Amino acid sequence: MDSAEYERKIAHRFAAFDQDGNGYIDRADFNAAAARLLTEFGTTARCDKGQALYTGAEAFWQGMAGIADVDGDQRVTREEFVGGAVKRLRDNPGRFAEIARPFLRAAIAVADGGNGGRAAVADVERALRVLGAGAEIASIAAQSLDTDRDGLVAESDVVAAFAVYFTVIEPDA
Ligand code: CA
Ligand code: CA
């Protein structure tokens, strides 16, 4: 792919993390993501699921900062994101997955309508939309996460897909 296409894909991924759109990723973005998910699924921050989501968001932020916040100012700029979260983890998506896993597990629990730790495809689509994905992309992504086509999305599928999305920038990704 050419450099313009690469830059566009990086910009989409950065924007996914920069939930408040102020040009850098910081703790507030992760807290905003947690808050949006709780609101969408009618869950309070005080309950066990809400607490787990905020704890996971904080762990995700700490992991992201540890990898990408090179100058230690508690903000990850687009340059730091490209150099750290994308480039440095490209050969090791598993590390990114482990950083994200507690948040993703908690998010599935919030969206789980009694499906035993899995989320319905339609609920995954809702979660992606409330986090800023366009309607069409959210629909396609949610369906692709249901690898065995039983209408439910498991934690392992979400974690694996998430790591690939943010660390492997392919022409068709
Ligand atoms: Ca931000
Ligand atoms: Ca920084």
Side-chain angles (χ1 to χ4, degrees), residues 96-119:
F96 199 70
E98 291 316 309
I99 289 167
R101 186 183 295 275
F103 176 77
L104 297 175
R105 174 182 292 155
I108 288 173
V110 167
D112 172 12
N115 292 311
R118 296 183 294 170

Side-chain angles (χ1 to χ4, degrees), residues 14 17-30 76:
F14 186 84
F17 279 107
D18 182 15
Q19 287 278 309
D20 60 14
N22 65 354
Y24 54 85
I25 301 165
D26 71 359
R27 177 179 280 113
D29 293 310
F30 288 84
V76 173

